Amino acid sequence: MIEFQNVSFSYEKGKSVIKGLSFSIADGEAVGLIGANGAGKSTVMKLLLGLLAGEGKILVDGLEVNRANLAAVRKKLGFVLQNSDNQMFMPTVYEDMIFAPLNYMVSREEAEQRVDRVLSQLGLDYLKHRYNHKISGGEKRMAAIATVLAMEPEAILMDEPTSALDPYNRRIVINTIRALPQTKLITSHDLDMILDTCERVILLSDGQIAADGPADEILRDRALLEANHMELPLSLCGRE
Amino acid sequence: MNKMDKALQEIGEMDELAARSSPIHNLSATAKLLSTIAYIVTVVSFDKYDLSGLAPLLLWPVLLFQISGIPVRTCFYKLRIVLPLVMAVGLFNPFFDRHIILRLGTIAVSGGVVSMLTLMLKGVLCLMASFLLVATTPFDSICAALRKFHVPKTLVTLLLLTYRYVGVMTEELAVMTDAYHLRAPGQKGIHVSAWGSFLGQLLLRSMDRAQELYASMLLRGYHQHFHYAPQKPFGKKDAVFLAGSLLLFALLRFVDVAQLLGGVFVR
Ligand SMILES: Nc1ncnc2c1ncn2[C@@H]1O[C@H](COP(=O)(O)OP(=O)(O)O)[C@@H](O)[C@H]1O
Ligand SMILES: [Mg+2]
């Protein structure tokens, strides 16, 4: 579904942020992308979405990410931004949700049905006509996820989906992510969440892959995690 | 909540006002847009000394406030920042134009004072009319109506995005003001020495966010074409409203209502 072939990128000349990255993610796989602050996780997402262009080759569902394929690639990928306030820009949740389907030339009736379907799938029917400036942080994060699901993407990318959420809303978001059947790529420092939602983990260190394997193994490797400014997930503490 | 957060809340509240229901809200955006433009043109067309001719134009906004159920208080509260600016426009007229044109009993009134009052009233009337349009019509609908009149797509989209970005910018301003005051306790406002870096930061930060917002639109398939929600069609009641408004404006413009009513001022 997603393939990086020797991808490099630098924001400023001579200062590579991503250094010859290669990995692939299969259909339906759930992958956690972890690493210290500044390791390049968000940059990987932006490269994948074609918001940044680097060297090397990125394939999404067999399509190369380039100018010509941009629209087709983006249609396959749903991106949940780290800051939901930047994702939701319409007055109401409903208007935000219907924005993408309409852009993809879905008829308005069909788009409305999609919105209703996604909202009831997530148990968020009550949010439909609420104003974005009047819902809580947790609700906004869920609404942002709903907005992306209304696109019916083949893969879902999430940048720190549980950041700034209280435990209750964090749990709701985790359960929601677990229930999604799509291919998933999730970045986070919340390793407990990654353990709960992903079967595989890619550890990024200074723009390179430091480890790639089953979540259960990598997230138990105290030395590896600590070398990358992270700690063992709480749920694994004392059970090494 | 600091002042800026409140400002942000208020922008959101405009969307809510516009989503209410009333005979005015239920009119098509086209009818309201056209009548508002006609109203503003009428107001502006009055002579700069014609205060008595202009005054009766207050009738239209007052009627709209009544019918739409939007409190006049809300209007002036929301406009409290721009209102003084608009009022200030004519402030110097009395100094330049000392020619006496009017006597109220024993008080001589100079042309400058009359033209200042006229200008102020014009400003207030136009602001009220614009406020009423935005408070009774979702902003998207206004943009959709503008598109119908073949206003260029880029321009309308820009208008719509500006309306949305104002919120983003206010939010950044709120965060920064808080951060500033936490480190400068007891200080009122922001010290002049910090204005430069403060403004620069504000611009950079809101640009960053605007960029991310725009990226989020692009990622959801946006390409220079905004899909407006289906608009209320222009129906019979819209035609009646528009014709009625135009008739009223013509009447107020070309018939000296004040004189008809017995003359409020004596020329
Ligand atoms: N717009 C930018 N301009 C210049 N450098 C940037 C920009 N965005 C990120 N960087 C740098 O790129 C590196 C990787 O950033 P990022 O991908 O955001 O890391 P992460 O998401 O893993 O915390 C960091 O060193 C960061 O300072
Ligand atoms: Mg990041």
Side-chain angles (χ1 to χ4, degrees):
Chain A
M1 174 78 213
I2 294 171
E3 191 168 354
F4 273 57
Q5 296 175 0
N6 199 20
V7 176
S8 298
F9 177 80
S10 54
Y11 286 101
E12 292 153 46
K13 258 208 184 117
K15 267 170 70 183
S16 285
V17 170
I18 301 297
K19 302 164 182 166
L21 207 59
S22 299
F23 63 85
S24 65
I25 296 173
D27 264 346
E29 216 177 354
V31 177
L33 187 63
I34 63 173
N37 274 329
K41 305 180 295 291
S42 300
T43 307
V44 167
M45 294 265 185
K46 287 178 185 159
L47 286 165
L48 182 55
L49 291 159
L51 291 171
L52 299 172
E55 289 145 43
K57 207 167 172 184
I58 302 174
L59 298 172
V60 173
D61 211 8
L63 279 175
E64 187 174 346
V65 180
N66 59 25
R67 208 165 241 286
N69 293 333
L70 212 51
V73 165
R74 286 176 176 173
K75 192 170 179 210
K76 293 176 187 290
L77 303 175
F79 183 40
V80 180
L81 277 72
Q82 181 170 0
N83 184 346
S84 308
D85 284 330
N86 293 351
Q87 179 131 24
M88 314 290 287
F89 54 88
M90 299 290 281
T92 64
V93 174
Y94 162 76
E95 284 166 285
D96 242 306
M97 286 183 72
I98 207 161
F99 180 76
L102 289 180
N103 284 334
Y104 288 121
M105 302 301 160
V106 172
S107 75
R108 192 162 271 274
E109 297 82 67
E110 203 182 319
E112 301 232 7
Q113 283 168 9
R114 265 200 207 183
V115 169
D116 288 336
R117 201 173 338 120
V118 170
L119 283 173
S120 73
Q121 175 196 339
L122 300 184
L124 296 176
D125 308 76
Y126 71 102
L127 276 186
K128 183 171 177 183
H129 293 295
R130 295 281 292 279
Y131 286 88
N132 279 326
H133 69 280
K134 279 208 171 159
I135 59 181
S136 72
E139 288 170 333
K140 207 177 263 187
R141 190 66 53 90
M142 287 301 290
I145 295 174
T147 298
V148 165
L149 290 180
M151 284 174 69
E152 300 193 340
E154 290 169 34
I156 295 177
L157 317 179
M158 298 184 168
D159 202 353
E160 318 252 358
T162 51
S163 66
L165 291 185
D166 60 32
Y168 174 76
N169 283 298
R170 175 177 167 276
R171 182 44 57 187
I172 292 179
V173 169
I174 292 177
N175 290 341
T176 304
I177 297 175
R178 281 170 65 107
L180 298 177
Q182 288 93 338
T183 308
K184 285 167 272 189
L185 180 62
I186 304 170
T187 79
S188 189
H189 293 122
D190 181 353
L191 299 188
D192 280 291
M193 181 270 285
I194 296 285
L195 191 65
D196 262 1
T197 54
C198 301
E199 65 244 25
R200 176 178 157 203
V201 163
I202 296 177
L203 195 156
L204 215 56
S205 169
D206 196 21
Q208 287 170 312
I209 293 181
D212 180 350
D216 212 35
E217 258 169 48
I218 293 181
L219 297 179
R220 270 176 207 284
D221 191 334
R222 186 189 287 267
L224 181 67
L225 293 180
E226 284 178 358
N228 284 284
H229 305 275
M230 285 177 289
E231 287 175 353
L232 279 189
L234 277 178
S235 55
L236 292 182
C237 276
R239 293 206 264 123
E240 290 153 81
Chain B
M1 200 154 43
N2 76 10
K3 270 189 220 152
M4 296 305 161
D5 283 328
K6 258 181 90 184
L8 187 73
Q9 201 70 22
E10 280 180 40
I11 293 167
E13 280 166 16
M14 284 307 289
D15 288 327
E16 274 181 81
L17 276 184
R20 285 190 190 177
S21 177
S22 82
I24 302 293
H25 285 81
N26 298 343
L27 290 169
S28 90
T30 315
K32 283 181 276 185
L33 183 66
L34 284 179
S35 55
T36 305
I37 293 172
Y39 179 78
I40 291 175
V41 169
T42 311
V43 166
V44 171
S45 76
F46 273 87
D47 184 79
K48 69 173 176 173
Y49 297 127
D50 198 359
L51 188 57
S52 59
L54 189 60
L57 267 108
L58 204 61
L59 185 63
W60 194 66
V62 166
L63 278 177
L64 291 197
F65 276 121
Q66 283 301 320
I67 303 172
S68 66
I70 306 272
V72 185
R73 190 165 24 91
T74 314
C75 169
F76 283 97
Y77 182 71
K78 301 240 184 244
L79 294 178
R80 69 193 178 284
I81 298 168
V82 266
L83 218 49
L85 295 178
V86 171
M87 304 272 282
V89 172
L91 222 51
F92 292 105
N93 287 20
F95 300 102
F96 297 123
D97 185 353
R98 289 156 180 269
H99 166 69
I100 306 293
I101 59 161
L102 183 73
R103 279 176 197 287
L104 291 174
T106 52
I107 308 164
V109 183
S110 75
V113 171
V114 174
S115 67
M116 175 185 76
L117 292 175
T118 312
L119 252 172
M120 284 178 175
L121 185 58
K122 279 186 182 179
V124 173
L125 291 178
C126 290
L127 274 182
M128 281 206 291
S130 319
F131 173 85
L132 276 163
L133 175 66
V134 179
T136 59
T137 321
F139 206 77
D140 289 19
S141 306
I142 298 176
C143 291
L146 286 171
R147 280 295 295 140
K148 250 197 343 217
F149 296 120
H150 300 281
V151 176
K153 193 151 77 182
T154 323
L155 206 69
V156 176
T157 306
L158 201 68
L159 192 68
L160 186 66
L161 291 184
T162 310
Y163 185 72
R164 299 269 166 255
Y165 284 165
V166 168
V168 169
M169 214 150 135
T170 330
E171 210 168 59
E172 285 308 316
L173 194 61
V175 173
M176 287 180 57
T177 328
D178 277 347
Y180 182 90
H181 284 300
L182 286 174
R183 283 177 292 160
Q187 188 178 319
K188 261 201 177 156
I190 287 161
H191 195 262
V192 186
S193 64
W195 282 13
S197 54
F198 196 87
L199 273 181
Q201 272 297 313
L202 176 65
L203 211 64
L204 284 178
R205 291 174 61 137
S206 27
M207 258 169 60
D208 262 3
R209 285 200 55 189
Q211 231 164 30
E212 196 158 313
L213 249 163
Y214 190 61
S216 121
M217 290 174 71
L218 289 179
L219 293 177
R220 285 192 269 158
Y222 174 79
H223 38 91
Q224 267 94 64
H225 182 73
F226 204 89
H227 294 267
Y228 297 104
Q231 301 302 317
K232 297 177 187 111
F234 191 92
K236 214 150 105 198
K237 61 181 193 300
D238 299 297
V240 170
F241 172 78
L242 185 58
S245 298
L246 294 179
L247 204 71
L248 179 69
F249 302 158
L251 188 78
L252 296 175
R253 179 70 189 85
F254 299 112
V255 180
D256 196 338
V257 183
Q259 200 136 51
L260 273 186
L261 296 178
V264 181
F265 293 100
V266 188
R267 275 236 171 195

